[in-house]
Amino acid sequence: MNLNYHKMKFLRLAFYVLIVQLVLSGCAGEGVEETSSSSASEINFDAYVGRDASTRAGINDIDSLKSNRWNSGFGVFARYNHTDPLMDDEHVYWKGDLWGYDHIRFWPSEGTVDFYAFAPWVPGITLDNKPESNEANIMFTSNRSPIDLLWAYQPDKTAPISPADSRKVKFQFKHATARFGFDITAPELLENSAVITVDNVKLYCVSNNVNIGVFDMVGYLNLKTGGWQVVNDEKTRWYYSWTPTGNDGEDPDGYKEGQGPELKITGEKLSNPNDKITNSPNSFIFIIPQEIPHPDKNDPGKKAKEDFYLEITYTVTQGDFAEKVTVRKNLLKVLNPSGTSFTFVRGKAYTFHLKLSLDPVNFDVKANVEAWK
C-alpha cells in the first residue's frame, strides 16, 4: 500500500473542504454578524397600546392586534448601527401565548439596533431611511387603507448580556392619526312632544361655492418621532356621510376620486329628551394630522379659501305635522372661533356634539377634544 499516495489524497481533500468552509464563511459575513442561535439571543418582542387595553370597536388596541385578522399584529423595521437593514416590514403576530415572526433574527454580537414599528401590519411597506438625518418614514395612503394607524420606536437596543437575560424589545404603540366622531341630541324639541328622525350627517369642505373633499389622505409618517409630512392633493380627499343604513366601517379597498364612505349612525329616531344618536363604533374617521384650510394649490404659501362643514338633515314630526330640515355648521368657527384655521393633532379624539333646537338657526355644535388613549 502506498501510504504517501493516500496521505496526499487526504491532504488534498482536506484542503478543498477548508476552501468550501472559507467561502461559506465569507458569504455569511456579508450580512450583520449575529450571535449564536440559542433561544436567549433571538430577537423577541412585546407590545402595548396606550394606557388602556380594553376592547374598543373600530379602534386598534392590544386585543385587535392579537386577533386573527389577516393584517393583525405589527410590522417591524430594524437597523443595525442606525443604517444596516436587519428587518424590513417583518410581520410580528400573536401566536397564542407570545409575539412571534417567521424570519427569525438574532442579536448582533456588538453594536446597537434601532427598532421601528407600525400597526396594523401591511405588506410591502418600505422604510425611507435618510442617513444624514437618521429619519425613518413610511408612506401612508389612508384613502387606500383607512385604518387607525399606530407607531412605536425603540432605539439603541443591545443583545442580552447572558443566556438568562430574556429581555424583549417592548413597543409602546401610540395613535398616529386624529379621531373624528359626533353625537346628536334634541332635548328642547323632544320636550315639546316632537319626534326627530335623522336622515343623514355629512362632512365636506366648500371652496368657491363648490363642495370638495375634506382631508388630505396621503402622508409620510416618521416612525422615529410620530411627525407627518402631508401630501397636499385634492384628488385624495373624500366626502363623508353617515346614515342609519350605512356601512359600519370604511371600505378597506378605499374609494375613487370624488367619492367617499357612507358610514353608519347608531339609530334614526330621537323620541325622548335623554335620547342620543352617535356614529357607530366602527364609523369613526381617522385623520392624518393636518391644517384646514389646506395650502392653496396655485400658491402654496397661502391658504385656500375653504369652509369646513358638518351638516345634518332630519325630519321633525309633531302630530300630523312633519317638516324636513337641513342645517349645517362651519367647524372652523367651532374649533377656533377667533381664528381662520385649525390643525388636527395626532393622538387627539375630536367629538362634536350636535344639539338640535326648535329654531334651526340656533343649531348648536360644540367640540370636545381630549387625549386619545
Side-chain angles (χ1 to χ4, degrees):
M1 179 182 293
N2 188 339
L3 295 178
N4 287 333
Y5 169 78
H6 288 287
K7 183 178 180 180
M8 291 299 296
K9 185 175 181 181
F10 173 80
L11 290 174
R12 194 160 43 241
L13 177 61
F15 174 77
Y16 291 145
V17 171
L18 177 62
I19 291 297
V20 170
Q21 289 177 332
L22 289 172
V23 169
L24 292 176
S25 175
C27 292
E30 291 175 0
V32 176
E33 183 181 353
E34 299 178 358
T35 57
S36 66
S37 59
S38 65
S39 60
S41 63
E42 290 180 6
I43 298 177
N44 294 310
F45 299 99
D46 209 346
Y48 307 88
V49 180
R51 291 174 292 174
D52 184 355
S54 64
T55 300
R56 294 158 294 173
I59 299 170
N60 281 319
D61 55 22
I62 198 65
D63 292 326
S64 67
L65 295 189
K66 289 181 177 179
S67 71
N68 293 322
R69 296 181 314 195
W70 71 271
N71 66 337
S72 63
F74 49 94
V76 175
F77 298 91
R79 294 295 180 263
Y80 172 62
N81 286 342
H82 307 304
T83 57
D84 295 337
L86 188 61
M87 291 181 174
D88 275 309
D89 195 16
E90 184 65 41
H91 184 197
V92 180
Y93 56 94
W94 187 246
K95 290 190 170 183
D97 57 353
L98 54 80
W99 293 101
Y101 56 102
D102 295 334
H103 307 99
I104 300 301
R105 301 309 302 261
F106 302 95
W107 286 99
S109 57
E110 59 182 17
T112 62
V113 181
D114 297 330
F115 292 92
Y116 308 86
F118 69 95
W121 176 70
V122 178
I125 296 295
T126 59
L127 195 69
D128 182 9
N129 198 316
K130 302 175 182 178
E132 70 276 9
S133 58
N134 195 28
E135 298 300 310
N137 303 304
I138 60 170
M139 184 178 182
F140 179 60
T141 54
S142 59
N143 56 325
R144 297 180 183 175
S145 184
I147 56 174
D148 168 21
L149 182 66
L150 308 176
W151 70 282
Y153 174 52
Q154 284 285 10
D156 299 324
K157 296 302 175 181
T158 56
I161 58 177
S162 70
D165 183 359
S166 59
R167 76 180 77 172
K168 297 179 179 180
V169 179
K170 296 181 180 180
F171 288 121
Q172 183 75 45
F173 282 100
K174 300 177 182 178
H175 296 283
T177 58
R179 193 188 77 188
F180 182 106
F182 61 86
D183 58 53
I184 306 164
T185 59
E188 182 181 297
L189 281 166
L190 300 173
E191 287 171 355
N192 286 273
S193 302
V195 174
I196 306 298
T197 303
V198 177
D199 296 322
N200 62 70
V201 178
K202 295 181 179 180
L203 183 68
Y204 55 91
C205 280
V206 175
S207 179
N208 297 321
N209 296 317
V210 176
N211 289 8
I212 61 174
V214 185
F215 301 112
D216 282 318
M217 305 288 278
V218 178
Y220 293 87
L221 171 63
N222 187 325
L223 293 179
K224 182 178 178 181
T225 66
W228 283 90
Q229 298 178 41
V230 182
V231 177
N232 180 29
D233 185 358
E234 188 176 315
K235 293 180 180 179
T236 69
R237 300 174 195 166
W238 288 351
Y239 302 84
Y240 293 89
S241 64
W242 291 260
T243 69
T245 58
N247 298 314
D248 196 10
E250 295 172 344
D251 187 336
D253 294 326
Y255 303 87
K256 296 180 180 179
E257 180 183 344
Q259 296 182 349
E262 180 181 297
L263 301 172
K264 188 177 180 66
I265 52 178
T266 55
E268 63 176 349
K269 289 192 181 297
L270 298 169
S271 55
N272 72 70
N274 295 321
D275 284 351
K276 179 185 292 186
I277 294 173
T278 70
N279 58 279
S280 289
N282 289 302
S283 291
F284 290 101
I285 61 175
F286 305 108
I287 305 163
I288 293 177
Q290 59 194 268
E291 185 179 20
I292 291 182
H294 303 91
D296 191 319
K297 61 184 178 182
N298 297 317
D299 188 353
K302 296 181 179 180
K303 293 294 181 183
K305 294 181 179 180
E306 294 174 348
D307 290 319
F308 175 38
Y309 285 104
L310 187 62
E311 177 183 289
I312 179 170
T313 298
Y314 59 97
T315 299
V316 182
T317 303
Q318 284 182 302
D320 296 331
F321 173 79
E323 180 182 12
K324 179 171 285 191
V325 180
T326 296
V327 291
R328 68 180 187 176
K329 184 73 74 172
N330 186 348
L331 295 187
L332 288 178
K333 300 301 182 184
V334 175
L335 292 164
N336 187 8
S338 61
T340 57
S341 65
F342 182 80
T343 300
F344 285 88
V345 178
R346 65 175 169 85
K348 297 289 187 182
Y350 299 83
T351 304
F352 294 89
H353 305 291
L354 288 64
K355 187 176 180 181
L356 309 180
S357 68
L358 290 170
D359 183 1
V361 176
N362 293 325
F363 169 51
D364 183 51
V365 177
K366 288 184 169 59
N368 182 53
V369 182
E370 61 184 2
W372 180 8
K373 300 176 182 179

